[in-house]
Amino acid sequence: MPLPSAEQPGARPERTELAVVGAGPAGLAAAVTAADGGLDVVLLDAADAPGGQYYRAPAPGLGATRPEALHHGWAEFAALTARLGRHRATGRIRHLTGHHVWAVERSGADWTLHAVTGPDGKDGATALDARRLLVATGSHERQLPFPGWTLPGVVGAAGAQAMLKSGLVLPGRRIVVAGSGPLLQAVAVSLARAGARVPALVEAAGYGAYGRAPLVLAASPGRLAEGVRHAAALARHRIRPLTHRAVTAVHGTDRVEGVTVSRLDRDWRPLPGTGRRIDCDVLAVGHGLVPQIDLAVGIGCATRCGADGSAALELDDELRTTVPGVWAAGETGGIGGVHLALAEGELAARSVIADARGGPGTPRTAALLRSRRRMRAFAALMGAVHRPGPGWTDWTAADTEVCRCEEVTAGAIRTAVRELGAGDSRTVKLLTRAGMGWCQGRTCGFAVRELAGPAAGAGAPDRRPLACPVPLSVLARATRPEDGGDA
């Protein structure tokens, strides 16, 4: 059954017991677990198929016969999608694809979710009332600007992997993978397996730092085994790991022809005289992931600064946010990987079921809590190891674009701070327009805060009334007649 359109005057939104926003690993696990527990669930997602960024699958028209070859844990995902299919068939779950939730508001005891549908919201708008809300909106990639990073041929590391998973295409033939974080290893190996030549994996941090927390490592044997497998795969494909180094410049006229790799000190400052060139036709670069929390922050959910320096939602052991009736799971609570996301999705759903139906916890819930604590401890260690050092800002020259949407340079941001009195990133935005473009600071927000200095508030999230671009026609009609037509 389609939801009533916000464009239909007087239409009342349909109501459900639980709305889950995001059909990635956490949202998918939450939706099917809640439905297993007897709840009526609506699962909303911007994509056309479940799985999120992690379980991206090739489009059906590409004729891929073994999509599982590009993923780890495909069997678990297949089992979840099978459960989703069964619940959809019985009507217990309504899976709304192509729905971009742009705002949530309190409506008495319920939450009203507003969504636009289709590319850029061109297919209209819908609204939905839910007694409870679970946010599983995932994450996006963090970028640190440096000279040449806007040149064609520079792509996000996660973006390169997404191209391979969903389009079965490589961004180039000779690809340098760079940045920081364990995702880089998976990206480099995936590209090499698909036929690319990866001459170097450039890691700004060093993996030896993990050894400072032996108890956390001992409690995560699966992570250690994964590290060993990646190291073996890198060696098998002759990918050379270069630690404590970073790409500090990109060379080329019309597109990437090579990169300069420099050694870094402990604060990530390039050491003079250590730069050397590596020829390539693509640079796949990324410095980890950042929680996507616009929707939750917009309704007042509190945040904390994670070990990696980014803002994440503040959650209790049962995945409740600080706003009653709202839960969150997966990367919204801090970057931790797919296994943590799956566990948190199930755990959050069990908490919702207990809230809706009452009753004590189960042995399964207790086991999930213990597993979550172990995985969250490792996630905190991972975030601390790969957190960008303060010296990375030395990579930028005065003419290095930081905000690509508005073409704001590092020099303009520094001028706003040093000469115009900007003491925080909001004032920098007002003076320079940094972060006011199409992406609304999702790409440049971290870099702008860092360049603005400590007073800018590391990890402080931006609060926006809209979680995604919305056509003006939708905003104009997003009114409630019973409220006297106030938007």
Side-chain angles (χ1 to χ4, degrees):
M1 176 185 296
L3 296 175
S5 171
E7 299 181 5
Q8 298 171 2
R12 289 298 305 164
E14 187 176 340
R15 188 177 187 275
T16 186
E17 289 183 281
L18 173 65
V20 179
V21 182
L28 184 57
V32 298
T33 302
D36 288 345
L39 295 187
D40 177 49
V41 180
V42 172
L43 176 62
L44 304 97
D45 192 62
D48 294 329
Q53 297 295 330
Y54 187 85
Y55 288 117
R56 275 177 173 261
L62 294 176
T65 57
R66 296 180 60 248
E68 67 275 10
L70 299 172
H71 299 82
H72 295 291
W74 186 264
E76 191 164 14
F77 171 63
L80 286 171
T81 54
R83 290 164 64 190
L84 173 65
R86 290 193 292 270
H87 285 305
R88 289 182 64 178
T90 63
R92 181 68 70 183
I93 293 179
R94 283 155 290 166
H95 180 200
L96 304 179
T97 61
H99 280 61
H100 305 251
V101 179
W102 59 269
V104 177
E105 61 178 336
R106 176 70 81 176
S107 301
D110 293 339
W111 295 100
T112 297
L113 288 74
H114 298 280
V116 291
T117 60
D120 299 330
K122 294 178 180 178
D123 293 344
T126 62
L128 165 73
D129 279 348
R131 185 67 185 86
R132 296 165 185 83
L133 172 65
L134 196 156
V135 181
T137 43
S139 60
H140 57 87
E141 196 165 19
R142 175 165 56 192
Q143 294 293 340
L144 304 180
F146 53 89
W149 77 300
T150 58
L151 197 66
V154 179
V155 300
Q161 191 173 50
M163 290 174 64
L164 182 59
K165 287 181 177 181
S166 61
L168 303 181
V169 295
L170 290 168
R173 303 306 304 177
R174 185 177 174 87
I175 307 171
V176 169
V177 177
S180 187
L183 174 65
L184 299 182
Q185 295 184 354
V187 171
V189 171
S190 295
L191 295 174
R193 284 175 176 166
R197 171 79 175 97
V198 183
L201 169 60
V202 184
E203 164 65 63
Y207 297 107
Y210 283 92
R212 299 171 188 167
L215 295 180
V216 175
L217 289 178
S220 306
R223 288 288 198 169
L224 288 173
E226 184 179 44
V228 171
R229 288 195 299 271
H230 278 146
L234 291 173
R236 185 164 59 252
H237 291 286
R238 299 181 180 179
I239 302 171
R240 182 172 40 171
L242 301 174
T243 58
H244 301 288
R245 291 173 173 83
V247 171
T248 52
V250 178
H251 309 290
T253 304
D254 298 320
R255 62 168 296 110
V256 173
E257 297 174 3
V259 298
T260 291
V261 175
S262 302
R263 183 180 290 276
L264 306 178
D265 67 14
R266 61 186 301 173
D267 290 327
W268 288 32
R269 290 184 176 84
L271 296 174
T274 62
R276 69 182 187 85
R277 175 169 171 144
I278 300 178
D279 290 333
C280 60
D281 58 9
V282 167
L283 169 65
V285 60
H287 289 272
L289 304 173
V290 178
Q292 182 71 35
I293 57 176
D294 293 349
L295 203 63
V297 170
I299 57 177
C301 296
T303 64
R304 61 180 179 83
C305 184
D308 62 351
S310 62
L313 295 180
E314 184 179 316
L315 306 173
D316 66 11
D317 283 346
E318 294 186 345
L319 285 304
R320 297 174 183 264
T321 71
T322 56
V323 175
V326 181
W327 286 256
E331 309 287 53
T332 53
I335 306 304
V338 65
H339 299 296
L340 177 58
L342 291 168
E344 287 195 342
E346 181 179 349
L347 183 59
R350 290 176 176 274
S351 176
V352 173
I353 293 169
D355 182 79
R357 302 288 189 257
T362 65
R364 173 64 177 169
T365 300
L368 285 170
L369 279 168
R370 291 192 296 272
S371 179
R372 176 182 183 259
R373 292 190 187 107
R374 288 195 300 270
M375 288 189 283
R376 274 291 167 204
F378 186 87
L381 172 61
M382 180 175 65
V385 168
H386 298 283
R387 178 173 181 163
W392 78 262
T393 57
D394 287 2
W395 304 355
T396 61
D399 61 350
T400 301
E401 284 189 4
V402 176
C403 173
R404 302 177 67 161
C405 298
E406 296 293 324
E407 299 181 345
V408 181
T409 64
I413 294 173
R414 291 188 175 110
T415 297
V417 173
R418 296 170 183 171
E419 300 179 18
L420 303 180
D424 55 49
S425 56
R426 177 175 175 79
T427 307
V428 168
K429 175 190 287 189
L430 294 173
L431 292 171
T432 67
R433 294 191 57 83
M436 296 181 71
W438 181 260
C439 83
Q440 286 292 287
R442 290 175 181 84
T443 300
C444 68
F446 180 87
V448 171
R449 285 191 292 271
E450 293 279 304
L451 287 166
D462 293 325
R463 185 168 181 173
R464 305 182 182 91
L466 311 179
C468 67
V470 182
L472 288 176
S473 59
V474 172
L475 293 178
R477 286 187 285 265
T479 60
R480 285 185 174 274
E482 64 272 26
D483 293 336
D486 293 333

